[in-house]
Amino acid sequence: MKRVKALLCILVPIALAYVLNTKFGDTPPLLKFLNPFTGFWQNAENSLVSDKKMVFKNAEAEINILFDERMIPHVFAQNDHDVYYAQGYVTAMHRLWQMDFQTRFAAGRLCEVVGPKAIEVDRYQRRMGMLYGAENSLQGMMEDPKSKAMILAYTQGINDYIHSLSPAQLPMEYKLLDFKPEDWTPVKCALLLKQMSAVLAMGSDEFYMTNILKKFGPEVTKDLFPDYPFKESPIIPVGTKWDFTPLPIPPTPKGYTEMMTGSVRTEQKEEGIGSNNWAVSGAKTASGYPILANDPHLNLTLPSIWYQIQLHAPGLNSYGVSLPGAPGIVIGFNNHIAWGVTNVAADVLDFYQIKFKDQSHQQYWYNNAWKNTTKRYEKIKIRGAKDETDTVFYTHHGPVVYFQRPKYSNANNVPLGNALRWIAHDRSNELMTFYYLNRGKNYADYRKALTFYTAPAQNFVFASADNDIAITPNGKFPLKWKDQGKFILDGSDPGNDWHGWIPAAQNPTVKNPPRNFVSSANQSSTDQTYPYYINWEFSPYERGQRINDRLTAMDKINLDSMRRLQSDSYSIVAENLLPHILSLVDLSRLNATQKEAFNIISKWNRFFEAKEVGASIFDLWSKRLENDIWDDEFNIEDNTMRHPNRDRTIQLIQKEPNSKWFDNVKTPNKETLADLVNESFKFTCDSLERKFGTIGIKNWNWAKVKNTNIPHLAKIPGMGSKILMIGGAKSTVNALSESNGPSWRMVIELGKMPKGHGVYPGGQSGNPGSPFYDNMIDTWAKGQLNDLYFMQSPLDETQKIIARYKISKK
């Protein structure tokens, strides 16, 4: 018995030590995680930050980094190398895990951290050519001495911070997931830009459109999916003259509509990846100088997507937001100019049906001959399992993404056996655009900077202290025949290839228009007189129309005018739709709740404010009505299609109330628009009552129904925000949904000395234990802006500085 007890005394501690030091599933090694000296306890921070003097061998001269009261760094360096070196260092100091996670995701390397559960995600990223595109882009960056120096200095700064960390100082997520950071490499900077291209690609509809063409024929397809919306307020004002001689447009190949497509599940394109920007000239402002505003709408996360910073060096003094993991400032201002971006949604991603010689996929038919494919071997390392090698076949178009349907929802819109041609795969150097914008002094510098930009295509808005304003839908646009890419293309016909590029100087642009403002909200770039094809469909017009209506009416514009416009929640969709459907509701067939709902929405002011019950009713009612109209004929198993867009749907309701499309072909009855309006209204009321309880402002208010919150980047419970009781909707200027919306709101007042104002829904730190992790959320939620401390020297005594770092060369 004594021997058994002695053995147990030995074995139990050994087993306990093993259990506490081993990762089981998603649970971290508890002994490591709870260790008071190296575990998560060490991630707690207070708001007191110490001054530091540091000596680094990779600095070239003295660097001063001043942190203001919101922990925003103001970097003062004596040369370009040191300003980007310091940017890399402080960004890693605040956002290392975020940078690591985002680039692992983009590169298809999540399995290295979380094991086999992420295998389909990693395969998808590899097969879409994300790393392939980043490698090509990096070549472009390394060819230019300026961008090469930027990226190498930034990378060195990140690595010097990584090498300074002890296990106790690692960000909390490393401890939760039980892994360590690796050295940063330049290709990771390129990966971040490729991932942004993927996010902003807006999905790909050519497989849906091809199936629609096959089922309904060309006339119905043209009618329901027109190449230009019925209602539009384009970015470049109607009537703008094109001061250039366009290149010849490639001829349209014969039979391009006779494409085939694979079978994938129906999935509607979600509105939400959008943005607003505008600039008003001094003729409309109280100061007599331009004001520029920008609020890019993206999926909201903690840590925040953006990182605020000021960079100061000889020839450079710029403030704004950067992407954590890439040098320079993407959206911001300097002493002379301000700039911002919104997504263009250009058609720069096409799928080509490939005819292979046999199942080996070694050759494919192109231009009446067999052409060899190439192979790229993607080695995927998997934590706790054997490595996997995935073979991806490439044609001259690009990768053949899938031959078999994967179990990954993001891949549902990828047609099988098709090759992907995507601008994000091409060599590029977007860094130089931001290098020159950050240092820009006037309109000529703005135009020069845009020539370096490839993707993702953006509407670059501009304003200067010279009282110039401008906007340019900008990127590297392929020279296409009209509607090239609206449907899947025949990969064997050279006529379907991209045939060169629209000259950068001929991208649509306008400077100082007579209306004294420029704006964009992802709507059509131009009217129909522009000679080139950019895309056949853009975001709906309503946000752009509301912005243009308000700016037209405004005079003596100031900061508050712009801030209020960014938070505007008026719905032009409701304005257009409600008068045509309210009159069709049969009040005699409504129950008490439905009658009360009808009374509320009849009196609703069309604003999606937090306390509005009418907003909740309209949102669900309009969605249900749209599905009632289209689902019976466009949501068919094994024949994936999409619905006609909102513009066409509202046009149908307004102008064609007796249309055949209102009949539900799956029932023996012949339904009318009135039938669908009543069904969808009753469904809305019943659904809201079941989910939220008795009708009233307490239960049915829009903020409660919308449920806006900001989740953690990796969806780790407890590290996201609280529910935010705020208004806004996807179709309004304040384009807020559950977790998508304005990721950075900025207003810049130009003048002899610019005044900047901005906020994002989060904080500077990526550490959930820091007071600077989410300290800006409440300001953002209220629609307010922080004054941005634009310092002119490290000795500037006018700003609230809480810490100073001094870096000197070893």
Side-chain angles (χ1 to χ4, degrees), residues 20 28-36 38-41 172 175-176:
L20 292 176
L30 291 178
L31 198 62
K32 284 186 187 178
F33 187 65
L34 298 174
N35 187 312
T38 61
F40 83 99
W41 309 100
M172 188 185 299
K175 299 170 185 178
L176 272 171

Side-chain angles (χ1 to χ4, degrees), residues 699-710:
N699 294 331
W700 287 27
N701 71 77
W702 174 235
K704 184 174 183 178
V705 171
K706 178 159 60 77
N707 196 46
T708 294
N709 67 95
I710 305 167

Side-chain angles (χ1 to χ4, degrees), residues 79-81 83-84 146 150 311 313-318 328 334 336-337 339 431-442 445:
N79 55 68
D80 277 4
H81 171 276
V83 82
Y84 295 118
K146 289 186 175 68
M150 278 176 83
L311 302 176
L316 168 68
N317 188 18
S318 185
N334 60 33
H336 310 283
I337 70 170
W339 66 94
L431 287 183
M432 291 311 297
T433 293
F434 303 113
Y435 179 91
Y436 285 116
L437 282 174
N438 292 180
R439 292 162 174 77
K441 294 182 178 180
N442 50 42
D445 291 343

Side-chain angles (χ1 to χ4, degrees), residues 535-548:
N535 206 345
W536 69 275
E537 186 179 52
F538 297 83
S539 290
Y541 88 107
E542 291 93 358
R543 274 187 298 118
Q545 184 68 60
R546 177 64 174 173
I547 291 167
N548 291 344

Side-chain angles (χ1 to χ4, degrees), residues 23 68 75 77 103 157 165 200 229 330 367 486 621 639 658:
K23 178 179 171 67
D68 67 30
V75 177
T103 51
L165 292 175
L200 297 177
V330 177
N367 199 19
K486 187 173 183 177
W621 188 14
N639 189 24
N658 297 315

Side-chain angles (χ1 to χ4, degrees), residues 280-283 285-291 464-467 557 749-752:
V280 293
S281 80
T285 66
S287 69
Y289 285 98
I291 299 179
S464 74
D466 295 336
N467 235 324
I557 293 171
E749 302 175 87
L750 279 300
K752 293 179 180 179

Side-chain angles (χ1 to χ4, degrees), residues 144-177:
D144 187 292
K146 289 186 175 68
S147 54
K148 180 179 180 180
M150 278 176 83
I151 208 166
L152 291 179
Y154 187 81
T155 296
Q156 188 65 63
I158 296 170
N159 285 330
D160 281 359
Y161 176 72
I162 291 173
H163 298 159
S164 75
L165 292 175
S166 67
Q169 294 170 315
L170 289 177
M172 188 185 299
E173 291 90 345
Y174 285 108
K175 299 170 185 178
L176 272 171
L177 298 170

Side-chain angles (χ1 to χ4, degrees), residues 531-584:
Y532 297 115
Y533 172 77
I534 296 178
N535 206 345
W536 69 275
E537 186 179 52
F538 297 83
S539 290
Y541 88 107
E542 291 93 358
R543 274 187 298 118
Q545 184 68 60
R546 177 64 174 173
I547 291 167
N548 291 344
D549 288 347
R550 296 299 302 127
L551 292 177
T552 298
M554 286 183 188
D555 198 17
K556 302 295 182 183
I557 293 171
N558 58 23
L559 165 64
D560 283 337
S561 310
M562 300 294 87
R563 181 184 59 79
R564 286 194 297 269
L565 181 52
Q566 286 182 330
S567 297
D568 185 279
S569 69
Y570 183 77
S571 174
I572 288 183
V573 177
E575 177 187 300
N576 288 339
L577 186 56
L578 276 177
H580 297 272
I581 59 176
L582 281 172
S583 60
L584 298 178

